[in-house]
Amino acid sequence: MSGFFASLDPRRVQWGAAWYALHSRILRTKPVESMLEGTGSTTSHGTKLAQVLTTVDLISLGVGSCVGTGMYVVSGLVAKEMAGPGVIVSFIIAAVASILSGVCYAEFGVRVPKTTGSAYTYSYVTVGEFVAFFIGWNLILEYLIGTAAGASALSSMFDSLANHTISRWMIDSVGTLNGLGKGEESYPDLLALVIAVIVTIIVALGVKNSVGFNNVLNVLNLAVWVFIMIAGLFFINGSYWAEGQFLPHGWSGVLQGAATCFYAFIGFDIIATTGEEAKNPNTSIPYAITASLVICLTAYVSVSVILTLMVPYYAIDTESPLMEMFVAHGFYAAKFIVAIGSVAGLTVSLLGSLFPMPRVIYAMAGDGLLFRFLAHVSSYTETPVVACIVSGFLAALLSLLVSLRDLIEMMSIGTLLAYTLVSVCVLLLRYQPESDIDGFVKFLSQEHTKNKEGVLAECEKEVCSPVSEGEEFSGPATNTCGAKNLPSLGDNEMLIGKSDKSAYNVNHPNYGTVDMTSGIEADESENIYLIKLKKLIGPRYYTLRIRLGLPGKMDRPTAATGHTVTVCVLLLFTLMFIFCSFIIFGSDYISEQSWWAILLVILMVLLIAALVFVILQQPENPKKLPYMAPCLPFVPAFAMLVNIYLMLKLSTITWIRFAVWCFVGKCEFEPYPYHIVLDPT
């Protein structure tokens, strides 16, 4: 025992080595090449997942995970309490904000296609292991609560359709539970437990079975939506929008409603968790994300139009708005038809929460951040069956015992945090040198940068020196010295001979930067946004670029410019957090037009704009992908701002519970980061 305590003597601990080990573990990234298709026949997870999902399947998953609660619950709630008929505008604003995050997800889905884990894997590739664990841990929380909430909502729906006979039987036969947040007469929700177990079995049986079940429910939901549209046309009344009733609470109510409507679009990230199971993720993931958001927006807007034209906004029933709007006109049969759609929509939302959770657990376990046995893939079903069973059991237990009225916001905080990190990662990756994309956090180490520059200089001296006159050129057709500002394929293509197109694929370091038909570097003017901008500005376009210090077509990112972008993005994230905090918690001072509050807001806006402009002045990586987020750096930066604002709008108790969950995750991560190195003397 005395030897054990002696080993803890601070004088015997090599703190420098311990800090280096911790620093390396936190900032360690996962190489992109290790996850690309064709890098090997096996993976770190052992048996591969089944690659059976088509683009239609991915769209169905994305729509199903979003549209259930959004169409049947959120539309009526926002229309009555916040925006009135202006809920239509609220949904459109929320959709635009969601698409900003969606395009960032779509780019990462193309950049790292054959992978699971969604934002967890993306942050592991770019930011580092600690942040990746933090994101993955909170994604598990989001999906866990979402699954339990869906099971409880379905249980309540069946109980309501049965005139509450199920709850009364539970109370009389099983008894009540106190202290779990369900009120004085709460009961163990056995029906929710059974529902969660059934959906877990469906997910564990195979991805094709679960997606097929999801598609059937979506078709049923679509049929009910068509019925609502056609039947509702016979009862609409245009006077409900007249005489200033369209925006009864003004634009402030519309914006408040947009913040709530944003949560109705949360769920498209399920598409990004299926990259390893998609047949062609390069095209399927971006198309599916975009299509699912557009379909959800169409459903929400059309239902909101019918709802607010059939019933005055102040008379809308917030619990079952679509069912009760037909009852108000005496069409009682329609109530049961809509109820079928509600059950289908809630079921598919439940499936949308449970489906990605075992895949995130599977990805983290395969990387060694969770217990390894959770990464086991059944050779029969080709699904992470152990992760499915464990996650389904935890969700079922949660739905049995705990009320989710106070925990429901916990679903949003994990998702919003993931959306923010994905936007950050897109900003960082697009401005890094190609050779450093796998681990750009190394820019933080000046010693590493100096060593790298020394190796590069030696390489240029030895390999790139002119060959002797009598020596025949026999080197490869690419730039072997790795100098970033030298043409590596285009010039060789024209001077040496015909290219080997078979070797020039998506894994090639210069993929997308060179036109293979001519060997000439891809022209910047191919960007449709630049073409429109040139037409708008005219001949002063190039003069303006020079005066603003914007990079030219031939400029390439270096270690210095990449480091500049990394620092600017970190400062931008911090400043946006402070700005949104002041806007939310200091709104009274702003509304009173206090001079110091107005001055502080203007100062922070100018600083944010300055940081974005500095990022804009840095050269982008020329690598072209099948899909890339447009209008960099404005789209990812605005997505960060929206997501941070919505996170800070959540309640205090949500942040407290979030902190507790993160502390539990820290205890899980604690044993892994480093080993204390003892001085042998």
Side-chain angles (χ1 to χ4, degrees):
M1 182 64 69
S2 60
F4 171 76
F5 286 107
S7 65
L8 300 179
D9 186 354
R11 293 172 297 181
R12 298 187 59 196
V13 176
Q14 295 182 0
W15 294 106
W19 168 250
Y20 176 79
L22 175 62
H23 181 268
S24 301
R25 182 62 188 258
I26 289 176
L27 300 182
R28 184 172 65 184
T29 56
K30 189 173 184 178
V32 178
E33 285 80 2
S34 66
M35 295 174 290
L36 291 174
E37 185 180 19
T39 56
S41 58
T42 60
T43 65
S44 60
H45 303 83
T47 306
K48 286 187 176 182
L49 301 178
Q51 297 179 6
V52 295
L53 298 181
T54 63
T55 304
V56 176
D57 292 332
L58 296 182
I59 294 174
S60 180
L61 283 172
V63 171
S65 62
C66 297
V67 80
T69 55
M71 188 168 73
Y72 293 101
V73 179
V74 173
S75 57
L77 177 67
V78 174
K80 182 174 183 179
E81 299 184 357
M82 301 176 191
V87 65
I88 300 167
V89 184
S90 297
F91 271 122
I92 294 174
I93 295 174
V96 172
S98 300
I99 289 173
L100 296 178
S101 298
V103 295
C104 296
Y105 260 95
E107 176 173 330
F108 257 113
V110 172
R111 189 181 292 275
V112 193
K114 291 293 181 180
T115 182
T116 55
S118 183
Y120 156 74
T121 305
Y122 301 158
S123 56
Y124 203 165
V125 169
T126 55
V127 181
E129 187 170 290
F130 177 76
V131 175
F133 177 84
F134 181 75
I135 292 297
W137 187 249
N138 287 288
L139 282 176
I140 293 173
L141 172 67
E142 172 211 343
Y143 296 138
L144 181 66
I145 295 180
T147 303
S152 296
L154 269 176
S155 175
S156 299
M157 174 68 70
F158 287 126
D159 185 42
S160 177
L161 292 176
N163 294 323
H164 303 287
T165 56
I166 298 176
S167 58
R168 287 195 294 266
W169 181 85
M170 288 286 187
I171 293 173
D172 296 336
S173 302
V174 181
T176 60
L177 295 171
N178 295 324
L180 294 178
K182 288 191 174 182
E184 296 181 356
E185 285 195 348
S186 63
Y187 59 93
D189 199 343
L190 294 177
L191 181 58
L193 172 69
V194 172
I195 292 172
V197 170
I198 292 175
V199 176
T200 300
I201 294 173
I202 294 174
V203 171
L205 283 178
V207 61
K208 202 61 182 176
N209 294 328
S210 55
V211 171
F213 180 65
N214 179 84
N215 293 343
V216 170
L217 293 177
N218 272 331
V219 170
L220 183 60
N221 206 12
L222 176 64
V224 173
W225 173 75
V226 172
F227 170 79
I228 292 173
M229 293 296 99
I230 296 176
L233 291 175
F234 294 95
F235 303 103
I236 59 175
N237 186 349
S239 63
Y240 295 147
W241 284 14
E243 299 177 1
Q245 296 188 57
F246 187 79
L247 297 177
H249 304 292
W251 284 102
S252 61
V254 170
L255 296 177
Q256 182 185 2
T260 303
C261 291
F262 181 86
Y263 301 121
F265 292 93
I266 286 179
F268 67 82
D269 54 316
I270 182 180
I271 298 172
T273 66
T274 60
E276 196 171 330
E277 296 165 286
K279 290 182 177 179
N280 188 11
N282 271 330
T283 55
S284 295
I285 290 179
Y287 290 157
I289 289 176
T290 305
S292 61
L293 288 174
V294 171
I295 292 172
C296 289
L297 174 62
T298 304
Y300 295 155
V301 169
S302 58
V303 165
S304 298
V305 169
I306 295 296
L307 175 63
T308 54
L309 286 176
M310 285 183 62
V311 184
Y313 74 90
Y314 50 81
I316 293 175
D317 183 85
T318 55
E319 294 186 358
S320 304
L322 299 188
M323 289 191 291
E324 296 302 325
M325 71 179 183
F326 286 107
V327 173
H329 291 274
F331 193 3
Y332 296 99
K335 175 181 179 179
F336 297 98
I337 297 176
V338 176
I340 295 173
S342 300
V343 172
L346 291 174
T347 303
V348 81
S349 295
L350 168 61
L351 185 65
S353 295
L354 184 57
F355 185 87
M357 179 163 51
R359 281 150 181 83
V360 175
I361 296 174
Y362 156 82
M364 296 179 68
D367 293 331
L369 300 184
L370 292 177
F371 299 111
R372 285 283 186 179
F373 72 89
L374 294 172
H376 173 72
V377 177
S378 170
S379 58
Y380 177 72
T381 62
E382 295 181 300
T383 57
V385 63
V386 178
C388 288
I389 294 173
V390 172
S391 58
F393 172 77
L394 292 176
L397 187 64
L398 190 64
S399 64
L400 172 69
L401 298 176
V402 181
S403 173
L404 298 173
R405 287 181 299 179
D406 295 330
L407 290 173
I408 196 69
E409 287 185 340
M410 290 289 288
M411 288 190 302
S412 301
I413 193 167
T415 306
L416 291 171
L417 187 62
Y419 288 1
T420 305
L421 259 294
V422 168
S423 302
V424 169
C425 292
V426 167
L427 266 180
L428 293 173
L429 272 186
R430 289 278 287 273
Y431 290 97
Q432 304 305 321
E434 182 63 34
S435 60
D436 290 329
I437 279 185
D438 300 335
F440 64 87
V441 183
K442 295 176 182 177
F443 293 149
L444 300 177
S445 171
Q446 295 181 357
E447 181 179 357
H448 173 80
T449 304
K450 291 179 180 178
N451 292 338
K452 184 176 178 182
E453 290 174 353
V455 173
L456 180 59
E458 187 69 22
C459 179
E460 291 179 0
K461 180 179 179 181
E462 294 180 4
V463 182
C464 297
S465 58
V467 296
S468 61
E469 294 181 0
E471 184 178 355
E472 184 179 356
F473 179 82
S474 59
T478 58
N479 177 21
T480 56
C481 69
K484 299 180 179 62
N485 292 320
L486 295 179
S488 57
L489 185 63
D491 288 355
N492 289 339
E493 190 64 34
M494 298 176 67
L495 298 176
I496 296 175
K498 191 174 181 179
S499 66
D500 182 9
K501 295 185 181 181
S502 62
Y504 186 70
N505 53 28
V506 69
N507 296 327
H508 195 283
N510 296 297
Y511 172 71
T513 65
V514 174
D515 183 2
M516 288 305 298
T517 59
S518 62
I520 301 175
E521 191 168 6
D523 192 357
E524 182 186 38
S525 62
E526 293 176 355
N527 191 320
I528 186 173
Y529 301 101
L530 286 176
I531 294 175
K532 293 181 179 179
L533 186 61
K534 288 179 180 179
K535 290 182 179 179
L536 180 65
I537 299 178
R540 292 187 296 272
Y541 169 77
Y542 293 101
T543 304
L544 184 62
R545 286 184 65 94
I546 294 174
R547 290 182 177 179
L548 293 177
L550 301 181
K553 182 176 65 175
M554 298 304 296
D555 291 335
R556 295 293 178 263
T558 62
T561 61
H563 177 69
T564 300
V565 172
T566 302
V567 173
C568 287
V569 170
L570 294 177
L571 292 175
L572 186 65
F573 178 85
T574 304
L575 191 58
M576 283 181 174
F577 190 89
I578 297 173
F579 174 75
C580 293
S581 300
F582 186 74
I583 291 294
I584 294 172
F585 302 110
S587 57
D588 294 337
Y589 299 104
I590 298 174
S591 60
E592 293 173 0
Q593 297 185 353
S594 300
W595 67 270
W596 62 270
I598 301 298
L599 182 62
L600 187 60
V601 169
I602 294 175
L603 180 62
M604 286 190 288
V605 169
L606 291 177
L607 288 175
I608 291 174
L611 288 173
V612 172
F613 183 72
V614 171
I615 296 174
L616 186 64
Q617 288 181 314
Q618 311 308 313
E620 289 186 42
N621 190 288
K623 182 173 182 178
K624 302 298 180 182
L625 299 171
Y627 181 88
M628 301 179 75
C631 300
L632 230 66
F634 303 106
V635 167
F638 191 71
M640 288 169 54
L641 183 65
V642 171
N643 295 324
I644 291 172
Y645 175 82
L646 292 175
M647 278 194 294
L648 292 173
K649 288 286 287 184
L650 298 175
S651 63
T652 304
I653 191 65
T654 299
W655 280 94
I656 293 174
R657 288 164 177 152
F658 176 72
V660 171
W661 178 258
C662 292
F663 178 77
V664 175
K666 176 181 176 296
C667 296
E668 166 68 22
F669 188 76
E670 188 96 25
Y672 296 100
Y674 62 93
H675 301 283
I676 296 294
V677 182
L678 299 179
D679 186 350
T681 60

